[in-house]
């Protein structure tokens, strides 16, 4: 069961919810990577719909020599994570095969419970975040099979990734947390440098496939139009 009380805001009416099971590979959308998040489809008091992608994340903060996490640093990291991921990956009106004849919109909202202690029995993800000096760069990565990520405080900085594209580590790595593969080393999108799973930050419709599939199924089953 999805703990809807953790996720829903006042007045939101739950229409459907699906939980990714706690065992790896149970809800894999492709062969290699297992996504780990809950999905909730709700109607807000104004009548519009919201697709919520929800992750419970445990964050471990790791100090480096002469680099220590303060409470303010941790708050800043978590605020940035919520805001910047949602601003880039979220949408005020996502496209589906279904055009709602009611002219209502479907927005896409990413919501997180970020825990510094193991409060919940199950977290979708465990992130280890290292404190680096300003300007220092270390490769961040997600290990989907273990549902872990290794990040740092500089992952919100833009890094030049090709002649004409810049990318923030957190924005790209979050795509892996949604179950998406890299595109810069293989596959048909290798020349699409602007793509978020390549060297840029542009979200393509293909990157939405994992949750659009469930959204369209829900719209069909609940006869929403
Ligand atoms: Zn990657």
């Amino acid at each position: 069961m999805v703990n809807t009380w953790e996720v829903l805001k006042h007045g939101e009416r739950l229409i459907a919810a699906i939980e990714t099971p706690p065992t790896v590979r149970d809800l894999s959308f492709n062969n290699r990577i297992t996504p780990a998040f809950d999905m909730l489809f709700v109607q807000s008091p104004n009548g519009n719909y919201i697709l919520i992608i929800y992750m419970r994340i445990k964050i471990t903060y790791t100090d480096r020599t002469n680099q220590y996490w303060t409470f303010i640093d941790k708050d800043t990291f978590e605020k940035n994570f919520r805001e910047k991921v949602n601003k880039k990956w979220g949408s005020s009106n996502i496209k589906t095969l279904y055009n709602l004849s009611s002219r209502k919109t479907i927005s896409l909202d990413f919501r997180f419970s970020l825990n510094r202690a193991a409060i919940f029995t199950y977290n979708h993800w465990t992130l280890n975040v290292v404190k680096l000096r300003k300007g220092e760069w270390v490769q961040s990565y997600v290990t989907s099979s273990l549902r872990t990520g290794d990040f740092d405080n500089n992952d919100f900085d833009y890094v030049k990734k090709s002649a004409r594209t810049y990318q923030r580590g957190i924005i790209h790595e979050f795509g892996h947390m949604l179950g998406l593969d890299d595109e810069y080393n293989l596959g048909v999108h290798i020349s699409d440098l602007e793509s978020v799973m390549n060297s840029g930050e542009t979200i393509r419709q293909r990157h939405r496939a994992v949750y659009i599939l469930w959204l369209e199924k829900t719209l069909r089953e609940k006869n929403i139009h």
Side-chain angles (χ1 to χ4, degrees):
M1 274 293 292
V2 178
N3 289 329
T4 56
W5 56 269
E6 286 176 19
V7 191
L8 298 193
K9 294 176 181 170
H10 185 73
E12 290 175 343
R13 182 176 69 89
L14 183 70
I15 296 170
I18 184 169
E19 179 183 50
T20 60
T23 52
V24 171
R25 293 190 175 282
D26 286 352
L27 192 64
S28 53
F29 290 94
N30 62 44
N31 295 329
R32 260 190 62 201
I33 293 181
T34 307
F37 48 85
D38 294 339
M39 295 186 278
L40 300 92
F41 186 63
V42 305
Q43 188 168 31
S44 63
N46 66 15
N48 287 325
Y49 299 99
I50 309 170
L51 174 62
I52 301 165
I53 308 295
Y54 175 66
M55 289 180 187
R56 234 178 282 119
I57 302 173
K58 178 176 174 354
I59 302 183
T60 306
Y61 292 96
T62 304
D63 296 329
R64 279 276 181 87
T65 312
N66 298 324
Q67 299 297 321
Y68 305 104
W69 285 99
T70 65
F71 281 108
I72 293 172
D73 291 338
K74 293 176 185 176
D75 285 345
T76 302
F77 182 89
E78 289 166 19
K79 183 172 179 284
N80 277 335
F81 188 91
R82 287 178 203 282
E83 290 182 1
K84 295 185 192 302
V85 166
N86 222 345
K87 188 159 189 219
K88 177 54 70 173
W89 283 93
S91 169
S92 58
N93 196 4
I94 52 176
K95 278 185 252 142
T96 69
L97 292 174
Y98 277 54
N99 279 322
L100 297 186
S101 54
S102 58
R103 292 176 142 223
K104 293 188 170 82
T105 59
I106 304 172
S107 58
L108 176 64
D109 194 15
F110 289 85
R111 298 185 189 176
F112 304 100
S113 288
L114 304 177
N115 317 304
R116 297 176 196 178
I119 299 164
F120 296 97
T121 52
Y122 172 66
N123 292 292
H124 295 112
W125 291 93
T126 301
L127 304 183
N128 181 44
V129 191
V130 173
K131 184 80 158 61
L132 300 180
R133 289 189 308 276
K134 195 163 169 50
E136 190 181 354
W137 186 84
V138 170
Q139 176 68 55
S140 292
Y141 58 94
V142 164
T143 307
S144 301
S145 57
L146 301 176
R147 293 195 174 165
T148 60
D150 286 78
F151 293 170
D152 59 70
N153 55 309
N154 292 339
D155 279 334
F156 300 105
D157 298 342
Y158 283 92
V159 175
K160 193 172 172 66
K161 299 295 265 193
S162 78
R164 59 175 198 277
T165 59
Y166 289 81
Q167 188 181 68
R168 289 164 290 178
I170 209 89
I171 300 299
H172 172 87
E173 296 304 326
F174 189 74
H176 291 311
M177 293 170 73
L178 292 171
L180 300 169
D181 275 337
D182 282 321
E183 296 173 350
Y184 55 79
N185 47 8
L186 76 169
V188 292
H189 304 296
I190 199 161
S191 58
D192 182 10
L193 295 180
E194 277 84 8
S195 159
V196 67
M197 297 317 291
N198 200 317
S199 305
E201 287 204 355
T202 303
I203 316 280
R204 305 288 189 207
Q205 192 66 11
R206 65 177 178 273
H207 301 132
R208 306 243 186 247
V210 285
Y211 36 84
I212 291 287
L213 209 66
W214 182 74
L215 173 64
E216 290 180 340
K217 179 169 166 278
T218 301
L219 292 174
R220 215 165 40 238
E221 285 176 1
K222 303 291 178 180
N223 200 23
I224 292 166
H225 44 76

